[in-house]
Amino acid sequence: MTDERPATASRGWRRYLAPYRGLSFRVWLLAAVVLVNRAGTMVVPFLVLYLTEQRGYSPAEAGQVLAVYGVGAIPGNLLGGAVLRRFSAVRVQVASLAASALLLGLLVSVSSTPALLAVLGLLSFATEVFRPANAAALAAWTEPAMRRRAFALNRTAVNLGMSIGPALGGALAGVDFRLLFLIDGVTCLLAAGLLAALAGRDPVAAAPPGGATVRAAPWHRHARFTAFLLVSSVVMMIFFQVNAAYLLFLKGGLGLDTRSVGLLLSLNALVCVVAEMWVVHATERFDARRVLAAGALLVSLGFGLSPWSDGLWSAAALVLVWTLGEMLVLPTGAAAATAFAPADDPGRYMGAYFAASSAAFILAPLAGTSLYERAPALPFHVALALGPALAAGFLAFGPPKDRPVPE
């Protein structure tokens, strides 16, 4: 009897890879650059532990310092979107990565709190210039119906890199926290070098994404888009507790060591790597507003139930819940921002979207760590209560209806 298992496995593998087809070489190259960079991303996920364990800050003080990263990120996002009218999206990304490498080297060498705050703010500014330029290039080089997949591929690259970074970072932190800064800086330079090669072949700025036929209002005068940004930022405030109250809960509430915390963060990244493109492909036939609403509920539920976990395995189960929510919200949300954007000015809309994310990064540690000091379960109870309202917000203020997805 013929063994049909290899043929069955081959068909299954082809079905799994089907969502990746149809994306351009440039989109894959941008994903490769992000992969190289994020494989060395170790500083931000462990910054709150570096500040509390190595620098002697209290949890609230560490949250305030971490919020400075978001303060610098907001103008970085807005500038990164605005300069795309004059500079190539690729060249903007190269400059961002090179500056980030330099500032990571400075960050580990400063000793005073004012110097730490100044360098951290500059680092966030330089780092966040990258994001709207990267997103605008993805949108420009992808058909509108394929943009959720393009952003999902980019996030797959992010998470593949992040599956390496936190796990390795957790081990290195036990040896010397300074190694995190060194490796992060080196990978920034490697990613900049790869992008510089692309810039040499494609020096012109990316063309604006298609799909808009009339000039839309500036983003700050677009009421529906502004409401969409507000809802998105609150969801991201819950998600960003992974770098603040959630991290403190894993160590203080559950008593996990640094290596176990790193493994939980890597679990999140690995699940996204394996499943996110498939999840996006499976849900892209549905209206983006419904997908975003479901994702908001899962993010709220996954983080909100954390106080009821009693160890590593139950924490891992909840990681899977909020990870599914993340896979629904983040690529769909980024693609939704391009649906709002006018053809003649996509960069500013993408800059505004990522500025909202940065605002959430500012508020998340401030709110989360302050609530945590009052009662360790309080930030998670708040997250749980917000879920239904956020889902309703996405349904009410979500993006225009998507175009049909080609078969």
Side-chain angles (χ1 to χ4, degrees):
M1 187 173 75
T2 304
D3 189 351
E4 296 183 356
R5 285 176 296 180
T8 301
S10 177
R11 286 195 298 270
W13 184 244
R14 286 197 298 270
R15 283 196 295 268
Y16 176 76
L17 292 178
Y20 293 87
R21 299 190 183 104
L23 296 171
S24 70
F25 170 76
R26 286 173 170 174
V27 171
W28 280 97
L29 187 52
L30 286 174
V33 169
V34 170
L35 171 61
V36 172
N37 179 232
R38 290 306 181 110
T41 298
M42 303 176 188
V43 171
V44 173
F46 288 93
L47 188 57
V48 69
L49 299 183
Y50 170 72
L51 293 171
T52 54
E53 296 181 5
Q54 300 292 310
R55 302 295 293 262
Y57 289 86
S58 70
E61 289 170 339
Q64 293 166 8
V65 172
L66 192 60
V68 172
Y69 189 95
V71 172
I74 291 176
N77 294 140
L78 296 175
L79 179 65
V83 299
L84 294 179
R85 283 179 171 268
R86 299 191 59 182
F87 299 100
S88 163
V90 172
R91 295 189 185 278
V92 171
Q93 292 171 80
V94 170
S96 168
L97 290 165
S100 297
L102 174 63
L103 290 163
L104 281 164
L106 289 175
L107 186 61
V108 73
S109 64
V110 298
S111 56
S112 68
T113 296
L116 175 69
L117 294 175
V119 175
L120 188 61
L122 289 173
L123 174 64
S124 66
F125 178 88
T127 300
E128 295 300 311
V129 165
F130 179 90
R131 297 176 71 192
N134 181 263
L138 280 175
W141 296 338
T142 311
E143 290 297 320
M146 295 286 287
R147 283 186 193 147
R148 288 198 213 177
R149 293 192 212 179
F151 282 102
L153 177 65
N154 215 40
R155 276 185 38 80
T156 297
V158 168
N159 285 296
L160 183 57
M162 290 297 291
S163 69
I164 301 168
L168 180 58
L172 292 176
V175 178
D176 189 339
F177 266 96
R178 291 174 295 182
L179 293 173
L180 307 183
F181 297 86
L182 173 64
I183 294 176
D184 202 344
V186 169
T187 55
C188 282
L189 291 177
L190 289 174
L194 184 57
L195 260 178
L198 173 61
R201 293 193 298 273
D202 184 40
V204 298
T213 58
V214 296
R215 183 181 179 90
W219 72 265
H220 56 279
R221 296 180 184 174
H222 194 312
R224 187 184 182 95
F225 181 64
T226 304
F228 170 75
L229 292 183
L230 178 61
V231 176
S232 298
S233 65
V234 177
V235 174
M236 286 186 278
M237 278 184 65
I238 298 174
F239 177 73
F240 285 140
Q241 295 306 320
V242 72
N243 293 326
Y246 183 69
L247 203 61
L248 294 172
F249 171 78
L250 292 179
K251 291 209 72 179
L254 293 185
L256 301 181
D257 58 21
T258 303
R259 187 181 299 272
S260 296
V261 172
L263 290 174
L264 283 176
L265 298 181
S266 292
L267 172 64
N268 159 251
L270 283 169
V271 171
C272 288
V273 168
V274 172
E276 181 160 325
M277 183 65 84
W278 182 85
V279 169
V280 168
H281 185 226
T283 60
E284 67 185 349
R285 71 192 68 180
F286 301 109
D287 184 74
R289 290 167 291 188
R290 295 178 180 271
V291 175
L292 290 167
L297 286 173
L298 289 170
V299 168
S300 173
L301 187 67
F303 282 103
L305 293 178
S306 293
W308 285 272
S309 58
D310 58 3
L312 180 62
W313 292 108
S314 57
L318 289 177
V319 167
L320 297 178
V321 174
W322 59 259
T323 296
L324 178 57
E326 173 193 359
M327 291 189 291
L328 294 175
V329 168
L330 296 189
T332 304
T338 70
F340 281 107
D344 65 330
D345 196 11
R348 294 179 190 270
Y349 271 65
M350 296 311 299
Y353 176 78
F354 290 114
S357 174
S358 297
F361 197 94
I362 297 171
L363 297 174
L366 291 173
T369 56
S370 296
L371 292 173
Y372 186 87
E373 283 199 337
R374 293 187 178 187
L378 189 55
F380 307 103
H381 292 163
V382 171
L384 192 61
L386 285 173
L390 294 171
F394 275 135
L395 291 173
F397 304 113
K401 189 173 178 60
D402 298 336
R403 296 184 175 191
V405 177
E407 295 293 336

